[in-house]
């Protein structure tokens, strides 16, 4: 039997060789891990969040470990979209692995402008909108926590580009489904979920929070049950592909996310402990398909979803009748 | 040498000072390919519940035996986890990482300055310098006699000068107070320790040219084009090189977790542009 | 020096001997751990959620471990308020440790009715409202995710009882502060935070979610950074005492929660691993005060809070300028 | 005996079958105070990242040596963690927990039925029964010969009958198929294993009175007042007692995590009312 088909079509021509990506912010621009990681075997690379202007990011410390996870508050340090294109796009263009540029901004115009500068750049395979940013135009409210704002920024970017467009959901909301629906309706090609949970840690002195920025984003295995829940909820309410992220550390996690409807999975924090994990997951997923005698990994997708939309979790969480 | 993932085996583990451990690992790939000032990012065990690696300086590296050592203080769950290791256990290390100390080929007299666990940061430079026939004076500061690194663990050739906060052994006071005595003798200085100590040293180094009248080494052509922050040249020419610490995620430059502010206004990655910096490269007053 | 003063005044006469409580749902009715735990040394006991009618709870499985945490979906199994009073209040009345009855309901009337039956019962020292329940009257929306509904149920209960009234916040919201303020304004004596995060896990077959109820509540060390963040945010916007819960496993966690403004701390999931932990924390907190030479643990409260209200975390989470 | 927290020490750890481990712990408080059918809730290590204890049947208990054993299959992180333990390591156990098997004083012939790891659930009842001079037949089912519990680990007095799914040793088929041969002989039966196996046994037991014409033991007065679900009497009088499993939080009755549905419509806590139930107490068809 030939190896199972692992390719994933995320729409608008973005076809990944396999469903294992590396998550934005945890794999730099794809080059930093050097020979340690066989970059060409990844399904996709989401680069560090990119903004219109260069940003120096947040004051340090920026990362710390927490039980089963970590907090980060990098603050979108990046050299700005033009420098990113100038420095890395050429290298990316030579890779088999598609590079998806993670884009952040503080206004709809920011997003649109960044995306326009990426349009047509060889080496840029797609866009992932990080909408967990404060919307300066709306008084600092995050795009990600409001269905209206999320739909608006998605629609504006959609009008500005023909690049494949992924939009990344934040878990820091009461009910993620209306937001997911608004983004899908606004023309996104795929959703990615989830970004980090808002959390803090304290300095050893306990006189102040540890992170220079006070708040950080919680990631890693600790958040996997939340990510799994959100992917489970979102897959049931949108028709576009969902890419899962949050706490993947082993094949079992990949299979879990596929089972709740994700068509692909991003690995983030776990890379820091185990840089070769993403490539190994590709092999292990291939083996798993062979073991099961299935021709495509797609048969693993959605097996744990109910036949029709399930009851919403926000109606009662665990304490419902 | 470029970094790689190396499966190492613990061969010895000892508590050499209260709460301070010296562990030896069989790691031929690291013992011969690394340079003083570099570090490893060591993975904790799969069933430990810890999600990040821990960075440790390569304390010593012996190409003959293939053994490297790390020297650390137990301060939290990660370091505690390492103390539970027993001979034969394996630890996966990513390394060697970061940029090493750069000794100017003309330097004969090296001043090493270590505060507490900072010893681990400069320890291997002592070996390297002595192998190259240089003279080494090592100034070491600790809180009290019980925390003083045993001289038996240092090469005989090193002049070892101790300061303790409580005066229980050696000079009573900060190790930085010893520096003026050696400033004139030293061609270059290399330091590792708490950030305030390094900042104090940077201030001392800054006034050195004025105080001593001459800089023995360094920018001969006066105010020429300054070397780019993070460059090898910037470090090699500097009188004072410091080994910095920051909490780390990836340790390879990918996550931007470990930056310090550079004098050029651009955050510098401790794991990639550092951990060794020329004192002039670091924006000490930036509050980062 | 005499041991430091650990007593806590939560208002309306509810004075705890010390700030270490056991969390609702993890310590039953206080009797189950028998001699293993010295119940009389606890600062307070929050009993299992109590409803008007008996409830058999959710279908099994109901608990599972997750990385650094656990999911539960007990579904408020309890014999109903009358049986709780009949079976346990007599025992509680003989204890030095105050017992706070955790109350749940599906309508404002439910809550009021349960609280009225607890009014004046000897052995009942206070009420903790678990408002993470679906509000049948409002079409299933949780009381806990809406400031209006949260304020309404609090006000109704406040009118119905003179018992000390704690209200427990849910973390499954975009911004917890308006909700906390509404509850404080409606007359609660104290806030407790946080309840569990909504999450799921899958059955080994990956054909369905593992928990009989699909969704479960995530608790344990994994959620501590989120709990710490919420307590940090809430302490800055209300004037009533805040009781912290979420992932406490050691003294350092207690000190962290005190530092962000909590006056007391509840231990939940960690009891399952270490039933003697809460009592040990009382001793360790006493020792810590002695070590620092402080006369009251109150000096440890709020040390990590900014002088004035900090910037809200929902404005940008980790990705703000 | 009431439960307590006991600090035990691992004295032996062996993989007796592929993926199945037998571990011995020094625990005098548990070896003498526990009864067959009870279990312990064992804590994983502080640096393991695991937050829940793991329940294991007390597989054997030897008051003479103070040793108890547990027998488990590695299925996840918790059991894997236990396999890493080495002699001398300590494990804190909460126990003994739950209600034991209750043998009617009149019972002479005991039928024990174990499916796979269910062996650990009934294993100690074999010892207990033989010590009391009873006759024991143990029916054991496994997938294949390689999974068959070694007879050398059973008391000689036990009649050991094996069924394997693939027929590689003993009866080819389910262990439940062996039961009819022993139904008449047995005064009482005690089972542990996968839920479907226990449900099948319960169905067999239900028809027993009709098939055999007489019930040797049990409710003599016909349809008298049924014993309360969860009561000792209900179990003692039952022909079939089953040891149930459920995921557990506290294991002492506090969290209500571990319930199964009782025939009285009230959820029964496996950790408190169980793990041993009379077959009649369990609402097998409830889907819980
Ligand atoms: C390049 C480099 C070299 C180092 N070399 C040594 C050495 O040789 N000997 C030694 O004792 N220590 C050294 N450190 C510090 C050492 O990495 C920390 O003490 C260790 O990570 C603490 O882990 P923990 O889990 O015990 O502590 P915790 O405080 O529980 O750790 C929590 C988190 O913070 C991080 N962290 C805490 N303190 C530090 C720190 N000072 N620097 C970086 N990260 C930190 C941890 O890695 C972890 O992610 C070095 C740090 C760096 C950056
Ligand atoms: C009263 C009782 C006695 C038991 N005795 C034995 C025994 O003697 N030998 C043996 O091999 N197994 C026994 N089990 C099952 C054993 O507890 C589980 O196999 C074990 O907890 C799995 O842990 P894990 O981390 O390896 O698996 P994982 O599946 O990773 O565990 C995840 C979570 O689910 C729980 N869990 C998973 N499977 C079970 C299960 N079957 N029963 C209860 N909880 C489970 C775990 O405790 C943990 O909380 C018993 C269970 C109970 C309730
Ligand atoms: C250090 C770090 C930096 C991150 N930077 C970004 C970013 O720039 N843009 C973004 O959308 N997500 C960013 N994330 C979030 C991750 O892409 C991912 O959504 C999150 O970490 C959850 O996945 P994990 O649990 O596998 O890490 C970052 C995460 C980490 C840990
Ligand atoms: C098994 C279990 C049952 C719970 N039942 C209740 C409940 O009935 N009412 C309630 O308000 N909270 C309940 N909780 C939530 C806890 O009281 C607490 O808020 C949460 O577990 C976070 O704390 P922890 O991380 O210390 O466990 C329950 C938690 C667990 C684990
Ligand atoms: S630790 Fe990731 S960039 Fe330095
Ligand atoms: S495990 Fe908690 S009630 Fe049984």
């Amino acid at each position: 039997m030939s190896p199972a088909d692992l390719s994933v079509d995320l729409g608008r021509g973005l076809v990944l060789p396999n469903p294992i990506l590396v998550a934005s912010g945890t794999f730099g621009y794809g080059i930093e891990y050097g020979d340690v990681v066989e970059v060409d075997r990844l399904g996709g690379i989401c680069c560090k969040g990119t903004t219109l202007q260069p940003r120096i990011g947040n004051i340090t410390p920026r990362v710390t470990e927490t039980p089963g996870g970590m907090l980060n508050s990098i603050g979108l340090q990046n050299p700005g979209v033009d420098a990113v294109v100038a420095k890395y796009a050429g290298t990316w263009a030579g890779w088999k692995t598609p590079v998806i540029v993670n884009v952040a901004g503080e206004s709809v115009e920011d997003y649109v402008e960044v995306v326009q500068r990426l349009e047509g750049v060889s080496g840029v395979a797609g866009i992932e909108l990080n909408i967990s940013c404060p919307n300066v135009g709306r008084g600092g409210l995050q795009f990600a926590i409001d269905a209206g704002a999320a739909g608006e920024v998605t629609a504006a970017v959609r009008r500005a580009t023909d690049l494949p467009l992924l939009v990344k959901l934040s878990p820091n909301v009461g009910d993620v489904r209306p937001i997911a629906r608004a983004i899908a309706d606004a023309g996104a090609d795929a959703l990615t979920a989830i970004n980090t949970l808002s959390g803090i840690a304290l300095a050893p002195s306990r006189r102040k929070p540890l992170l220079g920025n006070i708040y950080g984003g919680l990631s890693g295995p600790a958040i996997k049950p939340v990510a799994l829940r959100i992917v489970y909820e979102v897959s049931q309410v949108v028709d576009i592909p969902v890419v899962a992220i949050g706490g993947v550390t082993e094949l079992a996690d990949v299979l879990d996310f596929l089972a709740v409807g994700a068509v692909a999975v991003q690995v983030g924090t776990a890379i820091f402990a185990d840089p070769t994990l993403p490539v190994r997951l590709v092999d292990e997923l291939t083996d798993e398909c062979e073991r099961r005698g299935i021709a495509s990994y797609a048969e693993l997708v959605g097996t744990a979803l109910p036949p029709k939309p399930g009851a919403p979790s926000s109606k009662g969480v665990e304490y419902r009748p | 040498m470029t970094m790689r993932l190396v499966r190492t085996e613990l061969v010895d583990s000892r508590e050499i000072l209260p709460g301070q451990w010296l562990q030896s690992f069989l790691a031929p790939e690291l013992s011969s390919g690394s340079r003083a000032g570099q570090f490893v990012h060591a993975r904790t065990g799969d069933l430990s519940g810890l999600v990040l690696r821990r960075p440790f300086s390569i304390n010593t590296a012996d190409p003959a035996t293939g053994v490297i050592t790390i020297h650390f203080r137990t301060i939290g769950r990660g370091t505690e986890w390492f103390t539970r290791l027993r001979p034969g256990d394996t630890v996966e290390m990513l390394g060697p990482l970061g940029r090493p100390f750069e000794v100017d080929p003309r330097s004969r007299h090296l001043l090493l300055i270590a505060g507490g666990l900072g010893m681990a940061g400069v320890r291997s430079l002592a070996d390297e310098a002595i192998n190259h026939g240089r003279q080494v004076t090592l100034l070491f500061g600790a809180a009290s006699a019980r925390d003083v690194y045993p001289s038996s663990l240092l090469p005989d050739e090193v002049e070892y000068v101790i300061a303790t906060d409580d005066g229980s052994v050696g000079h009573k006071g900060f190790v930085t107070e010893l520096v003026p005595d050696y400033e004139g003798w030293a061609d270059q200085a290399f330091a590792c320790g708490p950030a305030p100590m390094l900042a104090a040293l940077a201030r001392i180094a800054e006034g050195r040219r004025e105080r001593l009248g001459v800089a023995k080494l360094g920018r001969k052509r006066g105010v020429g084009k300054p070397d780019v922050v993070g460059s090898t040249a910037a470090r090699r020419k500097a009188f004072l090189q410091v080994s910095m610490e920051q909490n780390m995620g990836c340790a390879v430059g990918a996550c931007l977790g470990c930056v310090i502010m550079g004098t050029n206004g651009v955050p510098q990655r401790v794991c990639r542009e550092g951990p060794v910096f020329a004192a002039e490269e670091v924006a000490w007053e930036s509050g980062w």
Side-chain angles (χ1 to χ4, degrees), chain A, chain B:
Chain A
M1 203 176 88
S2 58
D5 181 11
L6 295 190
S7 67
V8 197
D9 188 347
L10 291 181
R12 216 169 285 257
L14 179 56
V15 178
L16 312 179
N18 67 65
I20 310 293
L21 298 87
V22 290
S24 175
T26 61
F27 206 71
Y29 297 95
I31 56 167
E32 292 79 358
Y33 273 100
D35 293 343
V36 169
V37 179
E38 298 167 82
V39 168
D40 253 354
R41 299 204 45 221
L42 296 169
I45 295 168
C46 297
C47 79
K48 176 67 195 163
T50 301
T51 53
L52 190 54
Q53 302 299 330
R55 287 171 55 107
I56 59 169
N58 289 326
I59 199 167
T60 52
R62 290 178 173 184
V63 294
T64 192
E65 195 179 69
T66 66
M70 67 175 284
L71 287 168
N72 90 79
S73 63
I74 309 300
L76 286 177
Q77 181 186 331
N78 82 99
V81 61
D82 294 335
V84 168
V85 168
K87 279 169 101 165
Y88 306 109
T91 307
W92 296 343
W95 287 347
K96 274 190 289 186
T97 303
V99 176
I100 296 164
V101 178
N102 182 277
V103 171
E106 287 166 24
S107 63
V108 172
E109 296 71 39
D110 272 8
Y111 282 99
V112 168
E113 178 77 27
V114 175
V115 167
Q116 279 169 345
R117 301 202 190 183
L118 294 168
E119 185 77 22
V121 174
S122 163
V124 175
I127 303 286
E128 181 182 54
L129 289 195
N130 169 6
I131 56 169
S132 304
C133 311
N135 181 348
V136 170
R138 292 211 182 189
L141 211 74
Q142 273 183 63
F143 291 98
I145 67 171
D146 180 69
E152 193 189 320
V153 69
T154 305
V157 169
R158 176 74 297 163
R159 282 191 296 274
T161 184
D162 285 329
L163 281 165
L165 178 60
L166 292 70
V167 181
K168 190 164 178 177
L169 299 172
S170 164
N172 302 300
V173 300
D175 188 350
V176 76
R177 286 161 300 183
I179 300 164
R181 264 192 238 104
I183 294 169
D185 291 347
D189 296 305
L191 292 171
T192 59
I194 58 174
N195 216 314
T196 53
L197 287 161
S198 176
I200 69 168
L202 295 192
S205 69
R206 293 199 181 84
R207 296 264 147 212
K208 59 175 187 193
L210 183 146
L211 299 174
N213 184 49
I214 301 180
Y215 301 104
L218 183 64
S219 62
I223 69 166
K224 188 197 144 186
V226 175
L228 202 62
R229 188 256 304 169
I230 290 182
V231 174
Y232 178 82
E233 290 179 332
V234 168
S235 323
Q236 294 177 62
V237 298
V238 298
D239 292 323
I240 57 176
V242 178
V243 178
I245 336 170
V248 171
T249 66
E250 57 183 14
L251 182 68
D253 301 321
V254 173
L255 299 177
D256 281 358
F257 279 115
L258 295 178
V260 296
V263 300
V265 165
Q266 297 187 15
V267 185
T269 302
I271 294 175
F272 300 154
D274 190 359
T276 58
L277 174 69
V279 168
R280 209 167 58 244
L281 289 175
V282 176
D283 291 335
E284 290 179 5
L285 184 60
T286 309
D287 294 350
E288 179 72 12
C289 290
E290 190 183 325
R291 211 178 56 74
R292 296 182 185 234
I294 55 183
S296 161
Y297 89 96
E299 295 190 34
L300 304 171
V301 174
T303 56
L305 293 178
K308 31 180 186 164
S313 74
S314 60
K315 288 198 187 162
V317 191
E318 66 111 9
Y319 303 121
R320 64 182 184 180
Chain B
M1 199 187 97
T2 55
M3 64 180 171
R4 23 176 141 155
L5 286 167
V6 179
R7 194 165 168 277
T8 72
E9 183 188 323
L10 184 87
V11 288
D12 191 43
S13 179
R14 281 184 290 152
E15 192 172 0
I16 54 168
L17 290 168
Q20 290 187 35
W21 293 68
L22 185 67
Q23 293 191 326
S24 309
F25 295 88
L26 199 59
E29 298 92 332
L30 296 171
S31 69
S32 56
S34 65
R35 284 179 56 197
Q38 290 189 300
F39 68 102
V40 293
H41 209 31
R43 188 171 180 192
T44 55
D46 258 349
L47 293 176
S48 69
L50 302 171
V51 308
L52 293 179
R53 288 171 182 251
R54 295 297 188 273
F56 298 109
S57 300
I58 300 175
N59 182 62
T60 60
D62 184 350
T65 57
V67 168
I68 65 159
T69 64
I70 61 173
H71 165 206
F72 61 90
R73 172 159 31 211
T74 52
I75 60 164
R77 281 177 193 264
T79 44
E80 203 190 321
W81 183 89
F82 278 93
T83 65
R84 309 279 178 101
L85 291 172
R86 304 176 214 188
D89 286 347
T90 56
V91 172
E92 203 227 70
M93 297 188 185
L94 180 62
L97 297 170
R99 298 194 171 156
F101 290 111
E102 294 291 349
V103 180
D104 190 298
R106 294 163 296 171
S107 288
R108 305 296 322 146
H109 299 161
L110 306 194
L111 184 63
L112 275 45
I113 308 145
L117 259 296
M119 181 62 95
V122 295
R123 172 68 191 76
S124 130
L125 181 59
D127 286 348
E128 220 175 83
I130 283 161
N131 287 345
H132 286 80
R134 298 190 165 98
Q135 286 182 36
V136 175
T137 296
L138 170 52
L139 311 182
F140 175 76
S144 180
R146 66 195 290 270
D147 308 312
V148 169
Y149 190 80
S151 59
S152 59
L153 293 174
L154 288 171
D156 292 339
E157 296 87 342
V158 171
E159 186 190 343
Y160 187 37
V161 186
I162 296 164
T164 53
D165 297 353
D166 64 3
S168 49
V169 58
H171 170 79
K172 178 175 159 70
F174 292 145
V175 65
T176 44
E177 294 159 10
L178 298 171
V179 173
D181 296 348
Y182 297 86
E183 237 190 322
W185 168 83
D187 296 317
Q188 282 187 292
F190 304 87
C192 186
M197 172 191 121
L198 299 180
L201 290 174
R203 276 192 302 273
I204 296 174
E206 225 178 329
R208 181 171 171 271
R209 182 190 290 256
E210 271 166 50
R211 273 196 305 283
L212 299 182
V214 300
K216 288 190 170 183
L217 303 167
R219 296 196 199 116
K220 285 275 146 98
R221 287 148 303 170
V223 273
K225 191 159 151 274
D227 293 296
V228 175
V229 169
S231 73
T232 303
R235 278 169 293 140
R236 184 171 301 127
K237 290 188 191 163
F239 170 67
L240 176 63
Q241 291 170 37
V242 292
S243 175
M244 304 290 288
E245 279 185 17
Q246 263 297 348
N247 288 14
M248 289 188 171
C250 65
V252 303
C255 75
L256 306 177
C258 67
V259 301
I260 58 171
M261 186 47 82
T263 37
N264 58 356
V266 177
Q268 303 293 307
R269 297 168 296 183
V270 170
C271 70
R272 198 85 180 203
E273 283 77 49
V276 174
F277 292 93
E280 298 84 354
E281 295 177 308
V282 180
W284 297 102
E285 311 297 333
S286 69
W288 276 47

